[in-house]
Amino acid sequence: MRSVEALEMIYRPWLLRITRRLARGEELRVNLAQILEQFYNALMQAVETGDPAWLDPILNEWVKAYTETEISSHELSLLTILGQIHLTTIDVAREILAEADALSLISLAAPAFVYAFETAARLEMERTIERISWDLEKANASLQRLDKSKSNFISVAAHELKTPLTLIEGYAAMLRDQLPAGAEYDQARIILKGMNNGTRRLREIIDDMIDVSLIDNNLLSLNFQPVWINRLIDLLHKELARSLEERRQILEIHPFESWAEMTFGDSERLYQAFRNVLLNSIKYTPDGGKITISGRQLPGFMEIIIADTGIGIDPEDHLRIFDKFGNLGDVSLHSSGKTKYKGGGPGLGLSITKGIIEAHGGSIWVESPGYDEIKCPGSTFHILLPLRKTPPDDRTAKLFAPLYNTENLPGAP
Ligand code: ADP
């Protein structure tokens, strides 16, 4: 018997059996019967011509028609359905046809079924990947929206807080000025000093919030001028001398080539960037620890390296600490101290530093074997800064011409 005749012969019982096996509700059964009929026709063509590609349109349509729930539910996966169809074909052929005819039909249909399995697996995989990418895109878009509203909130909150803070600072200053001299007012002076410390710290936090929102919105503008990194570090050393002494820490500075060379940059912003890194080194290094500043010259760049003997940072956090609010510690343990051991903070310092360094065309990264408060493996921050020998614009060129035109540019003070 010809295979097509055999297929025609088993069609009705096959359809009845497979529809019962697959369908749950009556409605689905009607739909399914139509789809199965199409599949069977394609199967007959494939078997007769020996070209399994006849199955492509129905398989494609099938995969497309699936809803997301159907795809994720294993029961209704296309491969499961094809498996059932294949088994039913074998069962019904064996029951209805003579043994030789059944065997011949089963072996002739086998390549078409193998092809159908392969194609269905590929199509289902493609569709699943498509769905996952779509889900990822959606999640990404909502993360971006969330980040935008976080950034808007920071900006609005910072500006709203600034006005009342200015009022408090102003009235506290008036009070201080009007306070008569004399020992009986010492207590009031101590209170005012406390208020002053508090408002100064609050202003620093608000300024950090404003800087973060400027960086987030690409609004950080740099005032380029001649900068000497050695001078910045020297100033910083002087500013932090007291904190270093309090924490019994040593700051070692190893000058390097290009250390004393002039480069164009925003000195205030660079100072702020180095200060943030150094303050962290002090903060996350136990009393008696050591901080080392060194560096090297690279073609067109200088690399400044700030290493400490502190608690270190887990490799999986090496990128996260540069995100805003990327602080790793327990927020409830935060103290307001800028240099107190493990003092914690709002988690804005390094994200501002990264923004400043990147606005200069540089980059910053950290190396640390891991976090260990007992062994203190330390952290090493690398700052790569382009060496700009020429002013970035005409205005800067005119302003600083006498400085950068001279043959012997001023070096260390
Ligand atoms: P914070 O205000 O919390 O110090 P930063 O943005 O300056 O915020 O730093 C983010 C986090 O990176 C810190 O909370 C700390 O966990 C970690 N970190 C930064 N510098 C160091 C360092 N030198 N050693 C160990 N951990 C550090």
Side-chain angles (χ1 to χ4, degrees), residues 101-262:
D101 289 338
L103 271 178
S104 143
L105 176 65
I106 291 165
S107 62
L108 275 170
F113 273 108
V114 170
Y115 178 85
F117 279 122
E118 275 174 8
T119 312
R122 180 176 50 80
L123 291 175
E124 271 195 347
M125 184 62 74
E126 279 170 9
R127 182 118 165 93
T128 309
I129 291 173
E130 224 173 75
R131 206 187 77 228
I132 292 172
S133 328
W134 191 73
D135 283 353
L136 271 177
E137 260 171 45
K138 237 173 44 182
N140 207 12
S142 79
L143 268 180
Q144 273 175 4
R145 271 200 306 276
L146 202 69
D147 200 54
K148 183 88 193 118
S149 44
K150 202 159 90 181
S151 171
N152 286 347
F153 171 75
I154 297 170
S155 165
V156 170
H159 284 101
E160 289 299 321
L161 287 170
K162 230 175 165 170
T163 319
L165 178 66
T166 311
L167 279 175
I168 298 170
E169 281 172 338
Y171 283 121
M174 278 161 65
L175 213 60
R176 199 170 44 240
D177 293 346
Q178 286 172 12
L179 210 63
E184 66 268 39
Y185 296 107
D186 280 356
Q187 189 61 25
R189 263 186 283 278
I190 292 170
I191 293 170
L192 271 172
K193 197 171 169 218
M195 272 176 73
N196 197 34
N197 285 343
T199 50
R200 203 186 52 234
R201 181 78 191 105
L202 196 55
R203 183 162 287 280
E204 276 173 9
I205 295 173
I206 294 172
D207 285 346
D208 277 358
M209 287 163 76
I210 291 174
D211 283 348
V212 158
S213 65
L214 285 178
I215 290 165
D216 265 359
N217 296 299
N218 285 326
L219 292 173
L220 185 77
S221 62
L222 298 177
N223 286 320
F224 278 93
Q225 52 192 279
V227 180
W228 290 266
I229 296 300
N230 61 334
R231 291 183 183 182
L232 285 190
I233 303 285
D234 254 21
L235 270 178
L236 206 46
H237 193 176
K238 285 196 183 90
E239 186 201 321
L240 300 179
R242 194 144 154 225
S243 305
L244 287 162
E245 202 185 321
E246 273 169 18
R247 302 286 319 281
R248 289 183 290 107
Q249 291 169 340
I250 298 169
L251 175 64
E252 259 184 29
I253 299 175
H254 302 289
F256 54 93
E257 218 188 324
S258 77
W259 164 252
E261 271 182 40
M262 188 229 43

Side-chain angles (χ1 to χ4, degrees), residues 215-360:
I215 290 165
D216 265 359
N217 296 299
N218 285 326
L219 292 173
L220 185 77
S221 62
L222 298 177
N223 286 320
F224 278 93
Q225 52 192 279
V227 180
W228 290 266
I229 296 300
N230 61 334
R231 291 183 183 182
L232 285 190
I233 303 285
D234 254 21
L235 270 178
L236 206 46
H237 193 176
K238 285 196 183 90
E239 186 201 321
L240 300 179
R242 194 144 154 225
S243 305
L244 287 162
E245 202 185 321
E246 273 169 18
R247 302 286 319 281
R248 289 183 290 107
Q249 291 169 340
I250 298 169
L251 175 64
E252 259 184 29
I253 299 175
H254 302 289
F256 54 93
E257 218 188 324
S258 77
W259 164 252
E261 271 182 40
M262 188 229 43
T263 174
F264 276 94
D266 185 323
S267 61
E268 244 179 74
R269 288 297 189 184
L270 286 175
Y271 187 86
Q272 184 184 3
F274 288 120
R275 186 174 182 271
N276 285 343
V277 178
L278 265 176
L279 278 174
N280 278 344
S281 299
I282 297 177
K283 202 159 57 171
Y284 298 105
T285 299
D287 289 359
K290 190 163 101 177
I291 299 157
T292 316
I293 303 181
S294 60
R296 59 183 174 147
Q297 175 156 8
L298 298 164
F301 284 88
M302 72 165 94
E303 183 181 353
I304 300 116
I305 302 165
I306 301 175
D308 63 48
T309 56
I311 57 178
I313 303 163
D314 258 346
E316 64 179 39
D317 294 323
H318 286 185
L319 289 178
R320 186 150 79 91
I321 56 167
F322 295 102
D323 290 342
K324 58 178 180 280
F325 305 113
N327 41 357
L328 309 173
D330 181 349
V331 181
S332 63
L333 299 177
H334 276 197
S335 85
S336 54
K338 267 263 175 193
T339 53
K340 199 178 156 196
Y341 183 40
K342 295 189 287 173
L348 299 176
L350 284 181
S351 105
I352 295 171
T353 300
K354 183 170 182 265
I356 293 173
I357 300 296
E358 286 179 354
H360 278 83

